[in-house]
Protein backbone atom coordinates (compact mmCIF):
# COMPACT_ATOMS: atom_id res chain seq x y z
CA UNK A 1 0.00 0.00 0.00
CA UNK A 2 1.19 3.45 -0.81
CA UNK A 3 0.75 6.31 1.64
CA UNK A 4 -0.42 9.62 0.24
CA UNK A 5 2.40 12.10 0.47
CA UNK A 6 1.24 15.36 1.98
CA UNK A 7 3.36 18.39 1.26
CA UNK A 8 2.50 21.48 3.28
CA UNK A 9 2.63 24.68 1.25
CA UNK A 10 5.55 26.95 2.02
CA UNK A 11 4.79 29.93 4.18
CA UNK A 12 6.67 33.19 4.05
CA UNK A 13 9.33 32.04 6.48
CA UNK A 14 9.94 28.81 4.56
CA UNK A 15 10.43 30.89 1.43
CA UNK A 16 12.97 32.97 3.33
CA UNK A 17 14.83 29.81 4.34
CA UNK A 18 14.87 28.60 0.73
CA UNK A 19 16.42 31.86 -0.44
CA UNK A 20 18.84 31.97 2.49
CA UNK A 21 20.07 28.52 1.41
CA UNK A 22 20.57 29.80 -2.13
CA UNK A 23 22.62 32.70 -0.75
CA UNK A 24 24.60 30.22 1.33
CA UNK A 25 25.35 28.22 -1.80
CA UNK A 26 26.75 31.31 -3.51
CA UNK A 27 28.85 32.21 -0.48
CA UNK A 28 30.25 28.67 -0.29
CA UNK A 29 31.06 28.57 -3.99
CA UNK A 30 33.11 31.75 -3.65
CA UNK A 31 34.62 30.84 -0.29
CA UNK A 32 33.05 33.76 1.58
CA UNK A 33 32.21 33.73 5.30
CA UNK A 34 29.27 35.94 6.31
CA UNK A 35 28.49 37.86 9.50
CA UNK A 36 24.96 39.18 10.14
CA UNK A 37 25.63 42.20 12.38
CA UNK A 38 22.62 43.55 14.26
CA UNK A 39 21.81 46.19 16.89
CA UNK A 40 19.32 48.81 18.02
CA UNK A 41 19.49 52.15 16.15
CA UNK A 42 22.61 54.08 17.09
CA UNK A 43 24.37 51.35 19.08
CA UNK A 44 27.46 51.82 16.91
CA UNK A 45 27.65 49.10 14.25
CA UNK A 46 29.13 51.39 11.62
CA UNK A 47 31.54 53.06 14.06
CA UNK A 48 32.72 49.62 15.15
CA UNK A 49 33.27 48.58 11.54
CA UNK A 50 35.15 51.81 10.81
CA UNK A 51 37.39 51.28 13.81
CA UNK A 52 38.03 47.58 13.22
CA UNK A 53 38.33 47.40 9.43
CA UNK A 54 40.81 50.28 9.25
CA UNK A 55 43.83 48.14 10.21
CA UNK A 56 42.44 44.72 9.46
CA UNK A 57 45.24 42.40 8.50
CA UNK A 58 43.67 39.27 7.08
CA UNK A 59 40.47 38.62 5.19
CA UNK A 60 39.38 40.91 2.39
CA UNK A 61 36.10 42.37 3.65
CA UNK A 62 32.98 43.57 1.86
CA UNK A 63 29.93 45.13 3.50
CA UNK A 64 26.22 45.05 2.70
CA UNK A 65 24.53 48.03 4.35
CA UNK A 66 20.87 47.71 5.30
CA UNK A 67 18.92 50.89 5.99
CA UNK A 68 15.34 52.00 5.59
CA UNK A 69 16.57 55.03 3.65
CA UNK A 70 19.81 56.79 2.74
CA UNK A 71 23.37 55.62 2.29
CA UNK A 72 25.22 57.51 5.03
CA UNK A 73 26.78 54.43 6.63
CA UNK A 74 27.72 52.99 3.25
CA UNK A 75 29.37 56.28 2.34
CA UNK A 76 31.41 56.23 5.57
CA UNK A 77 32.76 52.77 4.74
CA UNK A 78 33.23 53.43 1.03
CA UNK A 79 35.49 56.32 2.03
CA UNK A 80 37.76 53.65 3.53
CA UNK A 81 37.97 51.87 0.14
CA UNK A 82 35.89 48.93 1.33
CA UNK A 83 33.50 47.44 -1.26
CA UNK A 84 30.03 48.37 -0.02
CA UNK A 85 26.56 47.77 -1.42
CA UNK A 86 23.60 49.66 0.03
CA UNK A 87 20.23 47.96 0.46
CA UNK A 88 17.33 50.34 1.15
CA UNK A 89 14.19 48.74 2.54
CA UNK A 90 11.81 51.65 2.04
CA UNK A 91 9.87 50.12 -0.84
CA UNK A 92 7.28 48.89 1.68
CA UNK A 93 4.58 51.23 2.95
CA UNK A 94 6.83 52.73 5.59
CA UNK A 95 9.98 50.70 5.11
CA UNK A 96 10.91 47.19 6.20
CA UNK A 97 12.45 47.01 9.67
CA UNK A 98 14.89 44.19 8.84
CA UNK A 99 16.80 42.51 6.03
CA UNK A 100 15.52 39.21 4.72
CA UNK A 101 17.23 36.65 2.50
CA UNK A 102 15.68 38.00 -0.68
CA UNK A 103 16.84 41.58 -0.05
CA UNK A 104 20.37 40.27 0.43
CA UNK A 105 20.02 38.14 -2.71
CA UNK A 106 18.95 41.18 -4.71
CA UNK A 107 22.15 42.97 -3.69
CA UNK A 108 24.58 40.12 -4.38
CA UNK A 109 25.06 40.82 -8.11
CA UNK A 110 26.57 44.18 -7.11
CA UNK A 111 29.10 42.62 -4.73
CA UNK A 112 32.08 40.80 -6.27
CA UNK A 113 32.14 37.74 -4.00
CA UNK A 114 35.25 36.48 -5.76
CA UNK A 115 37.16 39.52 -4.50
CA UNK A 116 36.32 39.13 -0.80
CA UNK A 117 36.72 36.52 1.94
CA UNK A 118 34.38 37.96 4.54
CA UNK A 119 31.03 39.67 4.01
CA UNK A 120 29.63 41.76 6.87
CA UNK A 121 25.92 42.44 6.54
CA UNK A 122 25.00 45.47 8.62
CA UNK A 123 21.32 44.93 9.31
CA UNK A 124 18.63 47.58 9.89
CA UNK A 125 18.80 49.00 13.43
CA UNK A 126 16.16 47.00 15.32
CA UNK A 127 16.27 44.50 18.20
CA UNK A 128 13.31 42.38 17.07
CA UNK A 129 12.77 41.26 13.47
CA UNK A 130 16.37 41.10 12.14
CA UNK A 131 16.93 38.08 14.42
CA UNK A 132 13.97 36.27 12.84
CA UNK A 133 15.21 36.18 9.24
CA UNK A 134 18.13 34.04 8.11
CA UNK A 135 20.07 35.55 5.25
CA UNK A 136 22.55 32.71 4.63
CA UNK A 137 25.05 33.89 7.24
CA UNK A 138 27.68 31.82 9.09
CA UNK A 139 27.21 33.74 12.29
CA UNK A 140 24.95 36.32 13.88
CA UNK A 141 26.55 38.95 16.12
CA UNK A 142 25.15 42.04 17.81
CA UNK A 143 26.27 45.38 19.14
CA UNK A 144 24.57 46.75 22.23
CA UNK A 145 25.37 50.00 24.00
CA UNK A 146 25.71 50.66 27.71
CA UNK A 147 23.38 53.64 27.20
CA UNK A 148 20.46 51.31 26.43
CA UNK A 149 19.96 49.99 29.97
CA UNK A 150 20.49 46.66 31.75
CA UNK A 151 17.07 45.25 30.89
CA UNK A 152 17.45 44.85 27.12
CA UNK A 153 18.42 41.13 27.05
CA UNK A 154 15.24 40.32 28.99
CA UNK A 155 13.06 42.52 26.77
CA UNK A 156 14.52 41.36 23.43
CA UNK A 157 15.54 37.77 24.25
CA UNK A 158 15.45 36.33 20.72
CA UNK A 159 18.03 38.86 19.51
CA UNK A 160 20.45 38.17 22.36
CA UNK A 161 19.82 34.41 22.12
CA UNK A 162 20.45 34.19 18.38
CA UNK A 163 23.93 35.73 18.51
CA UNK A 164 27.23 34.01 19.19
CA UNK A 165 28.88 37.33 20.09
CA UNK A 166 27.49 40.29 22.04
CA UNK A 167 29.65 43.40 21.63
CA UNK A 168 29.02 45.94 24.39
CA UNK A 169 29.90 49.37 23.02
CA UNK A 170 30.35 52.90 24.43
CA UNK A 171 32.08 51.74 27.62
CA UNK A 172 33.83 55.14 27.70
CA UNK A 173 30.46 56.49 28.91
CA UNK A 174 30.20 54.14 31.91
CA UNK A 175 31.42 56.74 34.45
CA UNK A 176 28.56 59.02 33.41
CA UNK A 177 25.71 56.48 33.52
CA UNK A 178 23.62 54.65 36.12
CA UNK A 179 24.37 51.39 34.34
CA UNK A 180 25.06 48.21 36.31
CA UNK A 181 27.39 46.27 34.01
CA UNK A 182 27.36 43.12 36.17
CA UNK A 183 23.58 43.07 36.13
CA UNK A 184 23.58 43.52 32.35
CA UNK A 185 26.07 40.66 31.89
CA UNK A 186 23.92 38.50 34.16
CA UNK A 187 20.89 39.29 32.00
CA UNK A 188 22.81 38.41 28.83
CA UNK A 189 23.87 35.11 30.40
CA UNK A 190 20.30 34.38 31.49
CA UNK A 191 18.95 34.46 27.93
CA UNK A 192 22.08 33.05 26.23
CA UNK A 193 24.17 31.09 28.74
CA UNK A 194 27.89 31.22 28.06
CA UNK A 195 27.67 33.54 25.05
CA UNK A 196 30.86 35.46 24.36
CA UNK A 197 30.78 39.15 25.28
CA UNK A 198 33.25 41.90 24.43
CA UNK A 199 33.58 45.31 26.11
CA UNK A 200 34.60 48.00 23.67
CA UNK A 201 34.55 51.68 22.84
CA UNK A 202 34.50 52.30 19.10
CA UNK A 203 35.11 55.96 19.96
CA UNK A 204 38.32 55.54 22.00
CA UNK A 205 39.39 52.29 20.34
CA UNK A 206 39.42 50.38 23.64
CA UNK A 207 38.74 46.69 23.05
CA UNK A 208 38.40 47.06 19.26
CA UNK A 209 41.40 44.75 18.74
CA UNK A 210 39.40 41.83 20.19
CA UNK A 211 36.60 42.41 17.67
CA UNK A 212 39.14 42.66 14.86
CA UNK A 213 40.62 39.31 15.91
CA UNK A 214 37.16 37.80 16.05
CA UNK A 215 36.46 38.99 12.49
CA UNK A 216 39.70 37.39 11.31
CA UNK A 217 38.60 34.15 12.98
CA UNK A 218 35.24 34.22 11.22
CA UNK A 219 37.01 34.86 7.92
CA UNK A 220 38.94 31.64 8.48
CA UNK A 221 35.68 29.69 8.67
CA UNK A 222 35.09 30.31 4.98
CA UNK A 223 35.16 27.13 2.90
CA UNK A 224 37.88 26.79 0.26
CA UNK A 225 36.81 28.47 -2.95
CA UNK A 226 35.12 25.90 -5.22
CA UNK B 1 -27.11 53.68 -16.87
CA UNK B 2 -25.76 52.27 -13.64
CA UNK B 3 -22.02 51.96 -13.03
CA UNK B 4 -20.77 48.80 -11.42
CA UNK B 5 -19.57 49.53 -7.91
CA UNK B 6 -16.17 48.05 -7.28
CA UNK B 7 -15.20 47.53 -3.66
CA UNK B 8 -11.56 46.62 -3.10
CA UNK B 9 -11.08 44.00 -0.37
CA UNK B 10 -9.57 45.28 2.85
CA UNK B 11 -5.91 44.57 3.26
CA UNK B 12 -4.18 44.16 6.59
CA UNK B 13 -3.58 47.87 7.00
CA UNK B 14 -7.22 48.71 6.28
CA UNK B 15 -8.22 46.22 8.95
CA UNK B 16 -5.87 48.01 11.34
CA UNK B 17 -7.52 51.34 10.52
CA UNK B 18 -10.97 49.86 11.15
CA UNK B 19 -9.92 48.64 14.58
CA UNK B 20 -8.09 51.90 15.36
CA UNK B 21 -11.35 53.72 14.66
CA UNK B 22 -13.18 51.39 17.03
CA UNK B 23 -10.57 52.16 19.73
CA UNK B 24 -11.02 55.87 18.99
CA UNK B 25 -14.75 55.51 19.51
CA UNK B 26 -14.18 53.97 22.95
CA UNK B 27 -11.70 56.69 23.91
CA UNK B 28 -14.13 59.40 22.81
CA UNK B 29 -17.03 57.86 24.69
CA UNK B 30 -15.01 57.89 27.90
CA UNK B 31 -13.38 61.27 27.27
CA UNK B 32 -9.84 59.92 27.12
CA UNK B 33 -6.99 61.52 25.14
CA UNK B 34 -4.34 59.10 23.90
CA UNK B 35 -0.60 59.51 23.28
CA UNK B 36 1.30 56.91 21.23
CA UNK B 37 4.83 57.20 22.65
CA UNK B 38 7.58 55.65 20.55
CA UNK B 39 11.40 55.38 20.50
CA UNK B 40 14.36 53.13 19.80
CA UNK B 41 15.18 50.57 22.54
CA UNK B 42 16.63 52.27 25.60
CA UNK B 43 16.00 55.89 24.59
CA UNK B 44 14.23 56.45 27.90
CA UNK B 45 10.44 56.34 27.43
CA UNK B 46 9.80 54.71 30.79
CA UNK B 47 12.31 56.91 32.62
CA UNK B 48 10.64 59.97 31.12
CA UNK B 49 7.22 58.74 32.22
CA UNK B 50 8.52 58.02 35.73
CA UNK B 51 10.02 61.50 35.97
CA UNK B 52 7.03 63.36 34.51
CA UNK B 53 4.09 61.45 36.01
CA UNK B 54 5.46 61.62 39.55
CA UNK B 55 4.27 65.18 40.17
CA UNK B 56 1.67 65.46 37.45
CA UNK B 57 -1.02 67.86 38.52
CA UNK B 58 -3.87 67.50 36.07
CA UNK B 59 -5.18 64.60 34.05
CA UNK B 60 -5.51 61.16 35.59
CA UNK B 61 -3.11 59.03 33.59
CA UNK B 62 -3.13 55.36 32.64
CA UNK B 63 -0.40 53.53 30.72
CA UNK B 64 -0.44 50.65 28.24
CA UNK B 65 3.01 49.06 28.12
CA UNK B 66 4.07 47.35 24.91
CA UNK B 67 6.99 44.93 25.08
CA UNK B 68 8.01 41.80 23.25
CA UNK B 69 8.40 40.05 26.57
CA UNK B 70 8.40 40.83 30.30
CA UNK B 71 6.70 43.50 32.41
CA UNK B 72 9.68 45.39 33.84
CA UNK B 73 8.55 48.82 32.63
CA UNK B 74 4.97 48.18 33.71
CA UNK B 75 6.22 47.18 37.16
CA UNK B 76 8.23 50.42 37.45
CA UNK B 77 5.11 52.48 36.73
CA UNK B 78 2.76 50.32 38.82
CA UNK B 79 5.04 51.03 41.77
CA UNK B 80 4.00 54.68 41.35
CA UNK B 81 0.31 53.71 41.70
CA UNK B 82 -0.43 54.42 38.04
CA UNK B 83 -2.92 52.05 36.39
CA UNK B 84 -0.84 50.02 33.93
CA UNK B 85 -1.72 47.19 31.55
CA UNK B 86 1.08 45.17 29.96
CA UNK B 87 0.80 44.00 26.34
CA UNK B 88 3.34 41.34 25.35
CA UNK B 89 3.81 40.84 21.63
CA UNK B 90 5.75 37.58 21.75
CA UNK B 91 2.95 35.36 20.47
CA UNK B 92 4.39 35.70 16.97
CA UNK B 93 7.31 33.52 15.89
CA UNK B 94 9.86 35.83 17.44
CA UNK B 95 7.66 38.60 18.75
CA UNK B 96 5.98 41.51 17.00
CA UNK B 97 8.15 44.61 16.76
CA UNK B 98 5.29 47.11 17.21
CA UNK B 99 1.83 47.54 18.66
CA UNK B 100 -1.14 47.52 16.30
CA UNK B 101 -4.72 48.59 16.88
CA UNK B 102 -5.90 45.08 17.68
CA UNK B 103 -3.26 44.50 20.36
CA UNK B 104 -4.34 47.75 22.01
CA UNK B 105 -8.00 46.72 21.67
CA UNK B 106 -7.27 43.40 23.37
CA UNK B 107 -5.84 45.25 26.37
CA UNK B 108 -8.62 47.83 26.77
CA UNK B 109 -10.98 45.65 28.87
CA UNK B 110 -8.26 45.62 31.54
CA UNK B 111 -7.95 49.43 31.64
CA UNK B 112 -10.76 51.39 33.32
CA UNK B 113 -11.12 54.18 30.77
CA UNK B 114 -13.77 55.85 32.97
CA UNK B 115 -11.12 56.37 35.67
CA UNK B 116 -8.53 58.15 33.47
CA UNK B 117 -8.34 61.25 31.27
CA UNK B 118 -5.11 60.50 29.45
CA UNK B 119 -3.81 57.16 28.18
CA UNK B 120 -0.12 56.90 27.33
CA UNK B 121 0.67 53.91 25.12
CA UNK B 122 4.35 53.06 25.43
CA UNK B 123 5.09 51.27 22.18
CA UNK B 124 7.71 48.57 21.54
CA UNK B 125 11.21 50.05 21.20
CA UNK B 126 11.69 50.34 17.42
CA UNK B 127 12.11 53.26 15.01
CA UNK B 128 10.36 51.66 12.03
CA UNK B 129 7.07 49.76 12.31
CA UNK B 130 5.41 51.46 15.32
CA UNK B 131 4.99 54.59 13.18
CA UNK B 132 3.12 52.58 10.55
CA UNK B 133 0.22 51.36 12.69
CA UNK B 134 -2.50 53.67 14.01
CA UNK B 135 -3.91 52.58 17.35
CA UNK B 136 -6.63 55.22 17.74
CA UNK B 137 -4.36 57.83 19.30
CA UNK B 138 -4.78 61.61 19.36
CA UNK B 139 -1.08 62.23 18.96
CA UNK B 140 2.14 60.43 18.22
CA UNK B 141 5.27 61.53 20.09
CA UNK B 142 8.77 60.10 20.23
CA UNK B 143 11.80 60.03 22.49
CA UNK B 144 15.23 60.03 20.93
CA UNK B 145 18.54 60.03 22.74
CA UNK B 146 21.65 62.08 22.04
CA UNK B 147 23.62 58.82 22.23
CA UNK B 148 21.97 57.56 19.03
CA UNK B 149 23.78 59.90 16.61
CA UNK B 150 22.77 62.87 14.45
CA UNK B 151 21.76 60.77 11.44
CA UNK B 152 18.69 59.05 12.85
CA UNK B 153 16.01 61.41 11.43
CA UNK B 154 17.39 60.81 7.93
CA UNK B 155 17.58 57.04 8.44
CA UNK B 156 14.15 56.63 10.04
CA UNK B 157 12.20 59.49 8.41
CA UNK B 158 8.67 58.07 8.79
CA UNK B 159 9.05 57.88 12.58
CA UNK B 160 10.29 61.47 12.92
CA UNK B 161 7.72 62.69 10.39
CA UNK B 162 4.74 61.05 12.06
CA UNK B 163 5.30 62.72 15.45
CA UNK B 164 4.13 66.12 16.63
CA UNK B 165 6.72 66.15 19.42
CA UNK B 166 10.33 64.93 19.40
CA UNK B 167 11.75 64.65 22.92
CA UNK B 168 15.56 64.62 22.93
CA UNK B 169 16.68 62.77 26.06
CA UNK B 170 19.98 62.21 27.91
CA UNK B 171 21.26 65.75 27.35
CA UNK B 172 23.30 65.33 30.56
CA UNK B 173 25.62 63.14 28.43
CA UNK B 174 26.30 65.83 25.80
CA UNK B 175 29.68 66.87 27.26
CA UNK B 176 30.89 63.28 26.87
CA UNK B 177 29.75 62.67 23.27
CA UNK B 178 30.77 63.65 19.75
CA UNK B 179 27.19 64.69 19.06
CA UNK B 180 26.40 67.79 17.01
CA UNK B 181 23.06 68.93 18.44
CA UNK B 182 22.55 71.65 15.82
CA UNK B 183 23.09 69.16 13.03
CA UNK B 184 20.63 66.76 14.67
CA UNK B 185 18.00 69.51 15.01
CA UNK B 186 18.57 70.42 11.36
CA UNK B 187 18.01 66.80 10.38
CA UNK B 188 14.79 66.65 12.42
CA UNK B 189 13.59 69.82 10.73
CA UNK B 190 14.49 68.43 7.31
CA UNK B 191 12.14 65.45 7.66
CA UNK B 192 9.46 67.21 9.73
CA UNK B 193 9.67 70.98 9.24
CA UNK B 194 8.65 73.00 12.27
CA UNK B 195 8.03 70.01 14.54
CA UNK B 196 8.28 70.81 18.24
CA UNK B 197 11.42 69.52 19.97
CA UNK B 198 12.23 69.36 23.67
CA UNK B 199 15.65 68.93 25.28
CA UNK B 200 15.49 66.91 28.47
CA UNK B 201 17.33 64.63 30.84
CA UNK B 202 15.02 62.16 32.53
CA UNK B 203 17.97 61.32 34.78
CA UNK B 204 18.67 64.82 36.14
CA UNK B 205 15.14 66.13 35.65
CA UNK B 206 16.28 68.95 33.36
CA UNK B 207 13.50 69.91 30.96
CA UNK B 208 11.04 67.34 32.30
CA UNK B 209 8.65 70.11 33.35
CA UNK B 210 8.09 71.01 29.67
CA UNK B 211 7.09 67.43 28.88
CA UNK B 212 4.78 67.38 31.90
CA UNK B 213 3.09 70.57 30.68
CA UNK B 214 2.76 69.07 27.22
CA UNK B 215 1.05 65.97 28.67
CA UNK B 216 -1.40 68.20 30.55
CA UNK B 217 -2.14 69.99 27.27
CA UNK B 218 -2.82 66.71 25.49
CA UNK B 219 -5.12 65.68 28.35
CA UNK B 220 -7.15 68.82 27.70
CA UNK B 221 -7.77 67.69 24.11
CA UNK B 222 -9.97 64.87 25.36
CA UNK B 223 -13.59 65.24 24.33
CA UNK B 224 -16.19 65.68 27.08
CA UNK B 225 -17.27 62.30 28.42
CA UNK B 226 -20.34 61.12 26.49
Amino acid sequence: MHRTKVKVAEDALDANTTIANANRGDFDRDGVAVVNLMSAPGAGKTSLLEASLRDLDGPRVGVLEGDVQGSMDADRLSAMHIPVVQINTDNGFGGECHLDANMVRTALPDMDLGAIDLLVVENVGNLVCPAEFKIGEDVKAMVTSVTEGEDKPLKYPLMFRSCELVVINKIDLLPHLDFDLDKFLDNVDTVNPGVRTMLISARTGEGVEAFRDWLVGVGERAPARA
Side-chain angles (χ1 to χ4, degrees), chain A residues 13-223:
Chain A
L13 211 56
D14 284 337
N16 188 71
T17 301
T18 300
I19 301 169
N21 290 339
N23 292 346
R24 185 68 257 166
D26 288 359
F27 299 142
D28 285 347
R29 194 160 40 247
D30 279 313
V32 175
V34 181
V35 177
N36 185 355
L37 188 63
M38 306 180 283
S39 82
K45 294 185 295 304
T46 310
S47 298
L48 176 61
L49 290 178
E50 282 181 312
S52 57
L53 298 184
R54 189 169 291 124
D55 304 310
L56 187 70
D57 188 19
R60 298 166 301 163
V61 178
V63 177
L64 289 189
E65 270 296 335
D67 286 299
V68 176
Q69 202 169 301
S71 64
M72 284 161 290
D73 295 346
D75 297 342
R76 285 163 65 184
L77 296 170
S78 287
M80 295 169 63
H81 307 289
I82 294 166
V84 182
V85 177
Q86 177 75 50
I87 307 174
N88 280 148
T89 70
D90 64 355
N91 286 331
F93 53 106
E96 291 291 336
C97 63
H98 60 274
L99 294 179
D100 64 24
N102 200 46
M103 295 181 209
V104 169
R105 187 142 198 87
T106 307
L108 289 185
D110 293 318
M111 174 65 67
D112 182 359
L113 293 179
I116 62 172
D117 309 301
L118 177 63
L119 180 66
V120 179
V121 181
E122 194 182 326
N123 218 309
V124 178
N126 179 354
L127 288 184
V128 187
C129 302
E132 297 169 2
F133 290 84
K134 291 183 207 174
I135 56 174
E137 68 274 59
D138 291 84
V139 48
K140 288 181 163 77
M142 71 176 292
V143 182
T144 181
S145 155
V146 295
T147 59
E148 294 168 14
E150 301 94 354
D151 56 352
K152 293 304 163 293
L154 306 180
K155 291 177 78 171
Y156 303 92
L158 181 69
M159 174 60 68
F160 282 82
R161 195 174 293 137
S162 71
C163 290
E164 75 167 56
L165 172 68
V166 177
V167 178
I168 302 163
N169 192 18
K170 307 193 192 179
I171 57 167
D172 56 298
L173 293 177
L174 280 174
H176 313 295
L177 301 172
D178 307 316
F179 179 81
D180 185 335
L181 182 59
D182 289 335
K183 191 171 165 193
F184 178 78
L185 292 170
D186 276 353
N187 288 341
V188 171
D189 204 67
T190 296
V191 299
N192 192 351
V195 67
R196 182 165 179 200
T197 56
M198 226 174 248
L199 297 173
I200 70 134
S201 167
R203 185 180 181 228
T204 68
E206 189 179 347
V208 168
E209 189 64 34
F211 182 72
R212 197 181 286 129
D213 291 345
W214 180 83
L215 278 181
V216 172
V218 174
E220 288 166 359
R221 295 188 209 177

